[in-house]
Amino acid sequence: MKKKRILIFGSKGFISSSFITYVKKTNYKLIIFDSKKYNLLKTDSIKKIQRVVKDQDIIFFVSAIAPSKTFFDFNRNIKMLLNFIDSIKKKKIKKLVYLSSDAVYSDTKKKITESSKTVPTTLHGLMHITRENLLFKLFGKKTLVLRPTLIYGKNDPHNGYGPNSFIRLAKKNKDIKIFGKGEERRDHIHVEDVIKIIFNLIKKNKIGIFNICSGKIISFNELAKKIIHSLGSRSKIIYLKRSGPLHHLGLRRFNINKIKKNIHKIKIMNIRQNLNKNFFDTY
């Protein structure tokens, strides 16, 4: 039986590299488009891509300049997507999977569902919702949009504020700096769970919008304290004066019913239970 093909655009990111490792162990044929050979900012990549893409291909589009903080980055991200669309619009692809972000949602203290209001407060969120709308307009019911929350795991190259940074600092007995009192409560999901969810949604031929999250929240202050305690670290928490308002009103909660309904028996790690010696040894 001929293997189904998954084409991935954007191969060096945290999620894409983890996805590539996972899919290589399955019976799917994986084709990787890297930015060196296929620079989506250049129109000469369009014909190169057209020669590779076939009808019934599954395409996972991850390519982005992130975070998109300036109008220059915003415009380049849209240009990348438009060149990509030009390269595949005449192909009868099976599915278009787009990696978006929870940044598309409006700030709210209510639990966020896939139908929650999308009025982004950042250029990064605006970039993603613009891309989403373009893809839904052109590919309709072939489109699967993924909106992950904060992702953690050992190979995170960004070392962003949160679990990844706190763990690395605590293992070196270095102080952990948090903003304000660290009272913001956020949802964190492990990269392994993210990849399993994405792969299962593709395998089950799902379409539409899915939030990729754990459904559990924890404050940055509790997170830092738990990491220091669990590691037996000599790190101290340094509380920095906050220069602006709390991000996302200090709370970002998600309803995960749609994921549970569409992927039966899915088990998502709880970050509180995950922070133990066996987990830290992977860092």
Side-chain angles (χ1 to χ4, degrees):
M1 186 176 177
K2 197 172 183 180
K3 285 186 176 183
K4 293 180 181 178
R5 302 191 342 155
I6 296 179
L7 282 56
I8 182 166
F9 286 78
S11 60
K12 294 181 180 178
F14 186 29
I15 296 176
S16 53
S17 59
S18 300
F19 182 80
I20 288 167
T21 300
Y22 187 91
V23 174
K24 282 181 176 178
K25 299 174 184 177
T26 71
N27 60 352
Y28 282 81
K29 183 176 181 179
L30 186 66
I31 298 170
I32 301 166
F33 290 77
D34 64 81
S35 58
K36 285 185 178 180
K37 188 174 180 180
Y38 303 94
N39 187 341
L40 289 170
L41 288 169
K42 296 181 178 179
T43 54
D44 62 2
S45 289
I46 294 173
K47 288 187 178 180
K48 291 180 185 178
I49 295 168
Q50 286 173 339
R51 288 193 286 267
V52 180
V53 179
K54 296 180 180 179
D55 292 347
Q56 295 305 302
D57 278 341
I58 299 165
I59 298 178
F60 186 19
F61 192 83
V62 189
S63 294
I65 298 162
S68 183
K69 292 183 177 181
T70 66
F71 282 107
F72 179 68
D73 288 341
F74 177 91
N75 288 331
R76 291 207 297 166
N77 274 310
I78 301 306
K79 183 178 180 180
M80 287 168 64
L81 186 74
L82 292 175
N83 284 337
F84 163 73
I85 288 170
D86 277 345
S87 70
I88 68 163
K89 63 185 179 183
K90 293 181 180 179
K91 303 288 184 178
K92 296 178 181 178
I93 63 168
K94 182 178 179 64
K95 183 182 295 295
L96 190 289
V97 185
Y98 177 63
L99 184 69
S100 185
S101 166
D102 75 324
V104 302
Y105 290 113
S106 307
D107 288 343
T108 178
K109 290 196 173 183
K110 295 179 180 179
K111 277 194 174 183
I112 294 171
T113 70
E114 286 78 1
S115 58
S116 292
K117 193 174 181 180
T118 51
V119 181
T121 57
T122 64
L123 274 175
H124 185 69
L126 182 61
M127 176 272 289
H128 275 301
I129 198 67
T130 302
R131 281 175 151 201
E132 284 186 21
N133 289 335
L134 284 167
L135 292 171
F136 274 122
K137 179 72 175 177
L138 290 161
F139 300 104
K141 292 183 179 180
K142 293 181 179 180
T143 312
L144 170 63
V145 167
L146 312 166
R147 294 174 177 170
T149 184
L150 299 176
I151 302 170
Y152 67 102
K154 68 173 182 176
N155 292 321
D156 171 32
H158 304 295
N159 204 36
Y161 182 69
N164 296 317
S165 174
F166 294 176
I167 290 168
R168 287 164 184 155
L169 288 169
K171 290 189 82 169
K172 295 177 182 177
N173 295 306
K174 292 184 177 181
D175 292 343
I176 297 173
K177 297 177 181 179
I178 63 176
F179 300 111
K181 297 178 181 178
E183 65 268 46
E184 306 104 311
R185 289 177 292 163
R186 300 292 297 274
D187 188 305
H188 302 268
I189 185 166
H190 195 275
V191 66
E192 289 181 8
D193 287 332
V194 174
I195 301 309
K196 288 176 185 176
I197 290 170
I198 293 172
F199 183 77
N200 272 281
L201 290 173
I202 291 172
K203 189 177 179 181
K204 292 175 180 289
N205 200 29
K206 299 297 180 179
I207 58 171
I209 298 167
F210 285 84
N211 292 332
I212 311 294
C213 44
S214 70
K216 306 292 183 183
I217 56 173
I218 187 171
S219 73
F220 287 104
N221 188 44
E222 182 185 348
L223 190 59
K225 286 181 176 180
K226 189 169 182 63
I227 288 168
I228 290 170
H229 175 75
S230 298
L231 278 169
S233 172
R234 296 191 300 276
S235 298
K236 294 180 181 179
I237 298 174
I238 307 297
Y239 297 95
L240 303 176
K241 185 177 180 180
R242 194 181 299 280
S243 59
L246 285 168
H247 288 171
H248 303 305
L249 307 177
L251 180 66
R252 200 74 156 167
R253 298 186 297 162
F254 291 87
N255 180 312
I256 61 170
N257 288 344
K258 190 173 181 180
I259 285 292
K260 286 183 175 180
K261 182 180 178 181
N262 284 273
I263 306 177
H264 302 302
K265 298 181 180 179
I266 183 73
K267 290 184 179 180
I268 301 174
M269 299 181 208
N270 182 333
I271 193 167
R272 283 189 176 86
Q273 299 168 353
N274 213 16
L275 300 178
N276 53 53
K277 185 180 183 303
N278 290 336
F279 175 73
F280 292 133
D281 286 344
T282 67
Y283 271 75

